[in-house]
Amino acid sequence: MEIVKEFIIDFSRGIFSVIMQMVIIITIIMVVLEILRSFGVIDFFNKYLYKLTRFLGISKGASLPLFIGIFIGITYGAASIIESYQQKEMTKKDVILVSTFLCLCHAIIEDTLLFMAIGANPFIIVLVRVIVAIIITLVVRFFYERKHHTDELDNNENEFNQEIK
Amino acid sequence: MKVLEASKVGLIKAGKTIWKLIKIVVPVYFFVKVLEYVQILPYISNLFSPLMKYFGLPGEAAIVIITGNLLNLYGGIAAMQAFSFTARQITIIAVMLLLSHSLPVETTIIKNLKVPRILQICIRVVTMIIFALILNLVWK
């Protein structure tokens, strides 16, 4: 019985701090983004971030969620992706590519400091993580584009056939 | 005025997003806590400890990797304190854990973006294994 009690207390405490952290950080991110958007600063950011991220095959509106995820954390990146997708600033392809990247590489400041504190080499862990995420994202992009390219060809062919008939 | 208007929109969006994430995170967090209390992880780790030598790690590293993957990074790091690893081993463990960790929670969050969980787990675990092997071979 003692252990159940301990579990409930431990769980409640843990989930409370998780939720509080989420509420605070997401509220700050969303309000700041909305204010920046109203002044047109987001478009300015997107223009420059896009230059950095274009080679991943993602569109302009996807760069900001990507950077939020990389620097702040996967939960906040995901929150920002959901928001951008609903605003139609991101396509389905963007969502898949950005999610793949963030899967492997997120919260690099917090995570790296955590492991630096116990004696890992910070340059190696950051470098490996970013390079791996880029490689895997490009692989996913390749397969995604190939699949959808063939879909397009099929559609064209169907249209062509219909025209003939 | 513009700022106030924008803040209001931001707050509404934040509320919606937070609610969405709470619904995801609470059950998964419960599952992770149960896993921590049931103490099944040492048994799983024993199965994997013979494989650790391919990554240049001692067998005990299995408990660190398994804990980090099934619970979270803090659990993995806490498990590391029980053993003494060299700087090279710590960096290899760090690379492995950073590529793949907190799988129950993080895959559920990304699953919400319509990327299948099984695909995410494959990507993360396979890249973890491949790049740990490479790092072990390249870094002498």
Side-chain angles (χ1 to χ4, degrees):
Chain A
M1 235 26 242
E2 202 53 42
I3 188 115
V4 176
K5 207 168 135 194
E6 195 187 318
F7 174 82
I8 293 170
I9 293 172
D10 196 11
F11 172 74
S12 327
R13 242 187 228 151
I15 200 71
F16 180 74
S17 70
V18 169
I19 290 175
M20 276 323 280
Q21 196 186 357
M22 240 161 59
V23 168
I24 294 167
I25 298 181
I26 292 178
T27 308
I28 294 173
I29 292 178
M30 288 298 177
V31 171
V32 170
L33 281 186
E34 219 40 60
I35 292 173
L36 291 180
R37 197 191 307 271
S38 74
F39 286 104
V41 184
I42 298 279
D43 293 332
F44 176 79
F45 270 132
N46 274 343
K47 210 169 104 190
Y48 287 96
L49 294 181
Y50 179 57
K51 284 184 183 154
L52 286 174
T53 55
R54 189 162 44 185
F55 72 98
L56 291 173
I58 61 178
S59 59
K60 230 176 189 170
S63 329
L64 199 66
L66 179 66
F67 277 87
I68 289 176
I70 292 177
F71 288 105
I72 308 177
I74 197 168
T75 317
Y76 314 110
S80 169
I81 292 173
I82 293 172
E83 217 271 300
S84 299
Y85 186 59
Q86 281 166 352
Q87 299 261 314
K88 299 211 165 32
E89 282 170 355
M90 286 174 82
T91 61
K92 192 133 198 288
K93 181 183 164 198
D94 292 334
V95 175
I96 290 174
L97 294 181
V98 174
S99 319
T100 310
F101 193 100
L102 289 185
C103 235
L104 291 163
C105 181
H106 53 254
I108 51 173
I109 298 174
E110 188 194 336
D111 288 359
T112 307
L113 287 176
L114 211 59
F115 278 98
M116 235 174 98
I118 57 165
N121 183 329
F123 300 104
I124 295 182
I125 56 183
V126 171
L127 214 65
V128 170
R129 218 172 168 204
V130 173
I131 293 173
V132 170
I134 291 173
I135 295 172
I136 302 297
T137 309
L138 290 177
V139 171
V140 171
R141 178 193 177 185
F142 174 76
F143 283 110
Y144 188 88
E145 281 177 355
R146 202 173 67 169
K147 186 175 157 222
H148 286 259
H149 186 61
T150 41
D151 284 353
E152 262 170 40
L153 284 183
D154 287 348
N155 286 340
N156 287 345
E157 225 163 72
N158 287 340
E159 278 167 27
F160 185 65
N161 287 342
Q162 278 166 2
E163 271 172 32
I164 290 180
K165 279 171 195 166
Chain B
M1 237 28 242
K2 211 165 146 191
V3 174
L4 238 109
E5 200 60 35
S7 317
K8 221 169 97 187
V9 177
L11 280 179
I12 294 169
K13 280 182 183 169
K16 279 185 191 156
T17 317
I18 291 166
W19 177 236
K20 209 172 200 168
L21 286 172
I22 284 178
K23 282 189 293 188
I24 305 170
V25 169
V26 173
V28 187
Y29 190 79
F30 185 81
F31 169 76
V32 169
K33 270 283 167 212
V34 171
L35 212 59
E36 194 184 319
Y37 272 73
V38 175
Q39 302 205 325
I40 196 173
L41 296 181
Y43 298 99
I44 305 176
S45 307
N46 278 341
L47 298 176
F48 290 100
S49 55
L51 301 175
M52 290 299 124
K53 65 172 182 283
Y54 300 109
F55 307 124
L57 298 173
E60 300 90 66
I63 182 95
V64 178
I65 306 286
I66 297 290
T67 311
N69 272 284
L70 293 181
L71 300 183
N72 51 41
L73 278 181
Y74 295 96
I77 287 175
M80 268 172 107
Q81 307 305 320
F83 313 104
S84 56
F85 297 109
T86 65
R88 181 176 183 273
Q89 288 165 346
I90 290 174
T91 303
I92 293 177
I93 292 175
V95 165
M96 293 178 78
L97 277 186
L98 284 174
L99 287 175
S100 177
H101 58 252
S102 314
L103 292 181
V105 177
E106 291 187 351
T107 55
T108 313
I109 290 170
I110 298 290
K111 193 173 148 246
N112 215 41
L113 304 172
K114 307 279 180 291
V115 182
R117 191 196 299 272
I118 190 78
L119 179 68
Q120 293 180 55
I121 295 177
C122 285
I123 288 179
R124 296 187 71 165
V125 174
V126 170
T127 45
M128 170 181 91
I129 292 170
I130 292 174
F131 286 91
L133 288 174
I134 293 176
L135 192 59
N136 183 35
L137 290 176
V138 172
W139 187 19
K140 290 292 173 190

